[in-house]
């Protein structure tokens, strides 16, 4: 029975005082599929009742871990709490019932949210204008590089095909440049973890389109030489691109636009507390300095003082249908409004305080390759005592037994046993102290019971798996069990 007839039947059966109802004569009429549309054998599907399926997935969902379950110190990803008010606002029927093709006169409120967030991000980042069209951080990177490419082409400067990327950069930086058709050139870091300005000088010429930088960088260190770097890149005719993945610790402290960056993206799903992880949903707005606004993607939202308008430019680049991930946009704007100007200024300092507190509390047991003040995150090079044979992977797996999500491991690639921790500003002192206590306990276990750590986890539904084999030989099909 098709859905329409089923709905009609339920409607009729639910009528008050119903005396009887006759199904249409063709309700159960059978239509054969053409031979090429039919299977030769039955599909190997599991045969079980609905209740079993519901219980399976309900119990399975209880094994998921996120920031609502416990501490999630994933370095370089800023997995912080998503306030309930953000979810409630995004779920308002006035927003969820919108259609992207309805007339702009009927969705002025949504366009206003879009426009106001553009303005807010421009003020926070020190940029002239923003587009909210990109659907993720990496998508924002690609969009920003397309803007830079078009800037040079518009000037007739076709030889600028190189993008300089630090060796500590996120992997998406060189990937985005390559997808944009540009050549990636790596610049080295000094022993202190920051960009080697002398190495950079040797790479600069009239073929450089841009330099991509993350600040603080992937080691959680503030790049102190940015004014000099920006001056050098601009002098050779290139533009400065800011990877906004680590913008969190800069909120209320400084702005990328004031440092000399020309183009940037922001990960709304990191800095402005929207859902993050598992492939999305995300949003990667792109901002530009004055003089580059016309190169931003179409469509754009403008305001004439009375009404909001969707402006479409056939000559502008297009990076996706309609206006980005609107649900994330609503959440991010709600987050900014709920904090307000003064509380937004506290995000960066609190994130920095939490990270340094953990670092100083553990550096006697874990190898700290670059000591000194960090920002929102820092990187250990595994345990100090290497004689135990306990690796960073082992530490990460043992954390699962204690109810903590593992930090980022084996990234950045500058250290052999990288353990990257970012607590964010959202976590309280009790949670952070508990994490520190467990990390110290694991270090003690590594010294006294190394096999206990090497064979972790012990308390999870699935034990230690062969990660390499799982990645190379994944089992993706259902197989009916015998017996």
């Amino acid at each position: 029975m098709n859905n329409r007839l089923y709905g009609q039947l339920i409607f009729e059966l639910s009528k008050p005082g119903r005396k009887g109802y006759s199904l249409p004569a063709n309700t159960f009429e059978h239509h054969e599929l053409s031979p090429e549309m039919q299977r030769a054998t039955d599909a190997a599907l599991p045969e079980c009742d609905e209740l079993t399926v519901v219980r399976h997935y309900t119990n399975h969902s209880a094994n998921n871990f996120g920031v609502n379950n416990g501490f999630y110190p994933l370095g370089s990803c800023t997995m912080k709490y998503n306030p309930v008010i953000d979810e409630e606002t995004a779920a308002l029927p006035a927003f969820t019932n919108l259609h992207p093709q309805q007339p702009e006169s009927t969705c002025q409120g949504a366009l206003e949210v879009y426009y106001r967030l553009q303005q807010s991000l421009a003020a926070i980042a020190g940029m002239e204008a923003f587009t909210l069209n990109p659907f993720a951080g990496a998508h924002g990177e690609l969009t920003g590089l397309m803007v830079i490419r078009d800037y040079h082409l518009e000037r007739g400067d076709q030889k600028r095909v190189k993008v300089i990327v630090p060796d500590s950069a996120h992997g998406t930086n060189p990937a985005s440049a390559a997808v944009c058709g540009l050549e990636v050139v790596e610049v080295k870091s000094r022993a202190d973890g920051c960009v080697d300005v002398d190495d950079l000088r040797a790479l600069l010429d009239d073929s450089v389109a841009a330099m991509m930088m993350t600040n603080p960088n992937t080691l959680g260190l503030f790049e102190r030489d940015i004014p000099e770097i920006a001056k050098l890149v601009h002098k050779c005719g290139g533009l400065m691109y800011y990877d906004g993945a680590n913008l969190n610790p800069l909120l209320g402290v400084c702005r990328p636009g004031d440092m000399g960056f020309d183009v940037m993206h922001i990960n709304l799903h990191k800095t402005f507390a929207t859902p993050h992880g598992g492939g999305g949903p995300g949003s990667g707005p792109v901002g530009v300095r004055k003089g580059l606004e016309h190169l931003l993607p179409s469509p754009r939202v403008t305001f004439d003082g009375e009404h909001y308008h969707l402006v479409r430019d056939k000559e502008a680049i297009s990076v996706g249908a309609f206006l980005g991930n609107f649900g994330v946009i609503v959440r991010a704007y709600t987050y900014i409004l709920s904090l307000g100007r003064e509380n937004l200024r506290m995000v960066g300092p609190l994130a920095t305080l939490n990270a340094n507190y953990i670092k100083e509390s553990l550096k006697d047991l874990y190898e700290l390759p670059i000591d000194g003040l960090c920002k929102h995150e820092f990187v250990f090079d595994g345990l100090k005592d290497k004689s135990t044979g306990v690796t960073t992977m082992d530490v990460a797996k043992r954390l699962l037994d204690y109810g903590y999500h593992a930090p980022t491991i084996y990234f950045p690639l500058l250290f052999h046993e990288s353990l990257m921790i970012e607590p964010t500003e959202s976590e309280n002192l009790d949670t952070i102290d508990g994490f520190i206590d467990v990390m110290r306990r694991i270090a003690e276990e590594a010294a006294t019971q190394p096999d206990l750590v090497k064979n972790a986890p012990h308390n999870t539904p699935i034990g230690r798996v062969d990660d390499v084999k799982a990645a190379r030989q994944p089992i993706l099909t259902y197989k009916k069990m015998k017996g």
Side-chain angles (χ1 to χ4, degrees):
M1 189 187 305
N2 63 41
N3 290 337
R4 181 182 64 79
L5 289 172
Y6 181 77
Q8 182 182 355
L9 173 59
I10 295 299
F11 175 73
E12 292 292 340
L13 291 175
S14 66
K15 282 184 175 180
R18 182 191 63 84
K19 293 182 179 180
Y21 179 71
S22 298
L23 289 172
N26 64 343
T27 298
F28 300 107
E29 185 176 338
H30 182 64
H31 296 280
E32 288 289 342
L33 292 173
S34 59
E36 62 270 16
M37 297 293 290
Q38 298 182 44
R39 295 180 58 91
T41 59
D42 291 339
L45 298 174
E47 297 179 4
C48 54
D49 56 273
E50 179 179 343
L51 182 56
T52 300
V53 173
V54 170
R55 285 173 176 166
H56 169 77
Y57 284 108
T58 300
N59 293 327
H60 197 51
S61 67
N63 294 323
N64 288 338
F65 192 93
V67 291
N68 288 351
N69 302 90
F71 188 33
Y72 208 128
L74 197 65
S76 198
C77 277
T78 315
M79 300 289 284
K80 64 186 179 184
Y81 174 63
N82 309 145
V84 174
I85 189 174
D86 299 359
E87 303 302 311
E88 292 177 342
T89 305
L92 291 172
F95 289 138
T96 59
N97 291 335
L98 289 172
H99 190 282
Q101 290 184 323
Q102 68 187 72
E104 65 180 41
S105 61
T106 66
C107 54
Q108 285 291 295
L111 294 179
E112 182 176 356
V113 168
Y114 194 100
Y115 180 82
R116 286 181 178 270
L117 181 57
Q118 288 179 165
Q119 303 302 103
S120 297
L121 295 180
I124 290 169
M127 290 286 166
E128 180 67 21
F130 262 86
T131 175
L132 309 185
N133 292 20
F135 286 92
H139 194 201
E141 284 181 19
L142 177 61
T143 301
L145 288 169
M146 291 169 69
V147 167
I148 290 173
R149 181 194 61 191
D150 288 354
Y151 163 79
H152 292 301
L153 292 177
E154 187 178 63
R155 295 158 55 88
D157 202 349
Q158 299 183 9
K159 62 180 174 298
R160 295 192 178 272
V161 295
K162 294 180 180 178
V163 175
I164 298 176
V165 178
D167 57 8
S168 63
H170 293 106
T172 50
N173 285 185
S176 297
V179 170
C180 196
L182 300 169
E183 179 184 339
V184 179
V185 179
E186 184 178 272
V187 60
K188 297 177 182 178
S189 296
R190 300 188 301 253
D192 65 358
C194 294
V195 168
D196 187 329
V197 179
D198 291 332
D199 187 48
L200 174 64
R201 285 193 181 93
L203 301 175
L204 294 174
D205 56 33
D206 61 3
S207 66
V208 172
M211 178 172 182
M212 301 181 77
M213 290 190 70
T214 305
N215 193 40
N217 64 26
T218 310
L219 298 172
L221 304 172
F222 192 88
E223 294 275 1
R224 298 181 299 276
D225 298 318
I226 284 183
E228 182 180 0
I229 291 172
K231 183 178 179 180
L232 291 171
V233 173
H234 287 150
K235 185 176 180 180
C236 83
L239 297 183
M240 290 290 291
Y241 182 91
Y242 179 78
D243 177 341
N246 291 352
L247 182 64
N248 205 52
L250 297 191
L251 291 182
V253 180
C254 54
R255 308 187 304 176
D258 298 334
M259 298 179 200
F261 288 98
D262 305 288
V263 182
M264 68 174 292
H265 83 269
I266 295 176
N267 298 65
L268 287 189
H269 51 286
K270 293 185 179 184
T271 306
F272 296 102
T274 63
H276 177 210
S283 181
V286 171
V288 295
R289 64 161 169 78
K290 190 173 181 60
L292 300 177
E293 311 96 303
H294 66 290
L295 297 173
L296 287 173
S298 176
R300 304 174 195 145
V301 176
T302 61
F303 182 52
D304 63 11
E306 186 174 352
H307 298 102
Y308 297 90
H309 303 282
L310 272 175
V311 178
R312 302 183 186 276
D313 182 357
K314 293 182 179 179
E315 301 299 320
I317 60 174
S318 177
V319 297
F322 309 111
L323 293 170
N325 196 332
F326 185 68
V328 174
I329 289 167
V330 173
R331 290 175 172 90
Y333 187 53
T334 303
Y335 179 75
I336 292 173
L337 290 181
S338 63
L339 285 181
R341 185 187 300 269
E342 293 306 315
N343 289 323
L344 198 64
R345 293 179 185 274
M346 294 301 297
V347 169
L350 286 175
T352 299
L353 175 64
N354 285 350
N356 280 278
Y357 179 62
I358 295 177
K359 172 176 64 68
E360 293 299 313
S361 300
L362 294 176
K363 70 179 186 179
D364 62 320
L365 295 175
Y366 292 83
E367 188 71 33
L368 185 62
I370 301 177
D371 204 349
L373 183 71
C374 69
K375 294 305 173 185
H376 63 305
E377 64 190 5
F378 60 92
V379 181
F380 284 132
D381 190 7
L383 286 160
K384 262 193 173 182
D385 185 359
K386 308 296 184 186
S387 66
T388 65
V390 172
T391 67
T392 284
M393 174 68 80
D394 298 330
V395 172
K397 296 295 186 182
R398 184 59 174 150
L399 274 169
L400 303 181
D401 284 330
Y402 288 103
Y404 293 95
H405 193 285
T408 300
I409 61 174
Y410 298 115
F411 180 82
L413 303 177
L414 298 177
F415 310 118
H416 185 64
E417 291 290 329
S418 289
L419 184 68
M420 192 178 191
I421 299 172
E422 179 181 357
T424 81
E425 77 286 355
S426 305
E427 302 296 342
N428 61 36
L429 183 59
D430 288 343
T431 299
I432 292 176
D433 279 341
F435 176 73
I436 291 170
D437 179 64
V438 165
M439 288 289 284
R440 298 189 69 85
R441 194 179 309 173
I442 292 173
E444 181 181 347
E445 291 173 345
T448 59
Q449 306 176 71
D451 287 343
L452 177 70
V453 184
K454 290 178 181 180
N455 294 315
H458 305 281
N459 305 328
T460 53
I462 299 175
R464 182 73 71 103
V465 298
D466 187 333
D467 295 319
V468 175
K469 184 177 181 181
R472 293 180 176 177
Q473 300 176 19
I475 299 174
L476 304 176
T477 58
Y478 167 81
K479 294 183 179 180
K480 192 171 182 179
M481 296 179 65
K482 296 181 180 179

